[in-house]
């Protein structure tokens, strides 16, 4: 997978370039002049350094480079900023200086078209979505039908996912590996016809028995 870096901070660029190499990704720095001859054809994962950009510039990258899955990196993360980034179309939101191992997991999640966000941001996004769509609160039978199609362990994982728990938390609570959790989540998304974790939560979190 190719990584596209958008930042004017030399240290951040050097750090992300090193991480890209260590995680077997190629990378390219996109110029902050907001121009690229093949913008609509580029595919991969984009790393947006929010401290280097205005809100308008972030929106430009999301709109013009529409085939790139964008991740917003914040020097000082907050739930409100993360929520705005996800609502704008980013596929992930995380601290600029997060660990290399977490970056590797982040890239894998976003490459699968899933969304990466902390539990608190996911819940904010969910609550906002549900407040605008009260009709979603009236279909408890749908969740029971879904559980009937899952294995017992998948049901346990899904119940945990619906609380906003991260893979690491689920693995710890169920005494299984994170790799196993990822496999269960992939199966759950397939069986529920959900494109990612957030859409799964939007469909079912208000129906947990």
């Amino acid at each position: 997978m190719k990584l596209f870096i958008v930042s004017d901070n030399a240290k951040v660029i050097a750090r992300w370039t090193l991480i890209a190499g260590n995680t077997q990704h190629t990378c390219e720095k996109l110029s902050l002049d907001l121009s690229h001859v093949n913008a609509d054809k580029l595919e991969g994962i984009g790393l947006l350094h929010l401290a280097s950009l205005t809100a308008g510039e972030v929106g430009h990258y999301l709109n013009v480079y529409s085939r790139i899955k964008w991740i917003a990196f914040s020097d000082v993360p907050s739930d409100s900023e993360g929520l705005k980034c996800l609502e704008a179309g980013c596929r992930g939101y995380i601290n600029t200086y997060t660990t290399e191992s977490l970056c590797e997991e982040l890239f894998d999640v976003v490459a699968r078209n899933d969304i990466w966000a902390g539990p608190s941001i996911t819940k904010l996004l969910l609550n906002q979505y549900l407040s605008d769509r009260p009709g979603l609160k009236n279909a408890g039978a749908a969740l029971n039908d879904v559980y009937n199609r899952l294995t017992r362990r998948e049901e346990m994982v899904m119940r945990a996912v619906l609380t906003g728990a991260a893979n690491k938390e689920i693995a710890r609570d169920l005494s299984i590996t994170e790799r196993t959790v990822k496999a269960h989540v992939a199966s759950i998304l397939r069986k529920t016809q959900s494109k990612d974790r957030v859409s799964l939560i939007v469909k079912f979190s208000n129906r947990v028995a």
Side-chain angles (χ1 to χ4, degrees):
M1 180 72 71
K2 188 163 189 175
L3 304 181
F4 295 94
I5 296 173
V6 180
S7 175
D8 64 0
N9 185 308
K11 291 184 178 179
V12 170
I13 294 170
R15 186 173 189 276
W16 286 353
T17 301
L18 179 62
I19 289 174
N22 290 343
T23 55
Q24 307 304 307
H25 293 86
T26 58
C27 68
E28 175 183 335
K29 182 180 180 297
L30 292 182
S31 171
L32 292 180
D33 65 6
L34 306 180
S35 64
H36 196 293
V37 65
N38 294 314
D40 60 338
K41 296 180 181 179
L42 297 181
E43 292 187 62
I45 294 175
L47 315 183
L48 288 172
H49 184 215
L50 296 180
S52 299
L53 302 164
T54 65
E57 289 169 337
V58 170
H60 178 94
Y61 278 101
L62 292 173
N63 292 326
V64 174
Y65 298 85
S66 57
R67 300 177 67 153
I68 293 177
K69 300 177 177 70
W70 290 104
I71 301 169
F73 287 79
S74 176
D75 291 358
V76 186
S78 69
D79 286 354
S80 59
E81 182 183 59
L83 188 60
K84 288 178 182 178
C85 289
L86 293 177
E87 288 176 332
C90 290
R91 304 298 297 179
Y93 176 77
I94 198 167
N95 192 303
T96 301
Y97 302 99
T98 193
T99 64
E100 181 177 313
S101 60
L102 201 56
C103 279
E104 185 170 12
E105 183 177 353
L106 166 66
F107 299 154
D108 288 343
V109 167
V110 172
R112 295 196 306 268
N113 288 319
D114 205 343
I115 289 175
W116 181 286
S120 58
I121 296 175
T122 299
K123 288 177 182 177
L124 281 172
L125 189 63
L126 171 66
N127 290 335
Q128 180 173 308
Y129 184 94
L130 291 177
S131 67
D132 294 335
R133 297 163 175 78
L136 286 174
K137 299 178 180 179
N138 302 314
L143 185 60
N144 289 331
D145 178 64
V146 167
Y147 284 152
N148 288 336
R149 288 183 273 128
L150 303 179
T151 66
R152 176 58 182 162
R153 184 50 62 89
E154 286 173 347
E155 178 183 340
M156 294 169 70
V157 170
M158 180 166 169
R159 287 181 183 275
V161 168
L162 295 183
T163 69
N167 286 351
K168 184 173 293 185
E169 297 175 84
I170 298 172
R172 183 188 63 237
D173 292 344
L174 298 182
S175 298
I176 57 180
T177 67
E178 286 187 61
R179 184 183 295 274
T180 299
V181 174
K182 291 177 185 178
H184 286 318
V185 170
S187 177
I188 291 166
L189 293 178
R190 184 177 67 255
K191 290 180 179 180
T192 60
Q193 297 183 324
S194 303
K195 70 175 184 177
D196 54 45
R197 219 178 179 101
V198 168
S199 63
L200 177 73
I201 293 174
V202 165
K203 285 181 183 179
F204 299 109
S205 115
N206 59 312
R207 306 170 188 165
V208 178

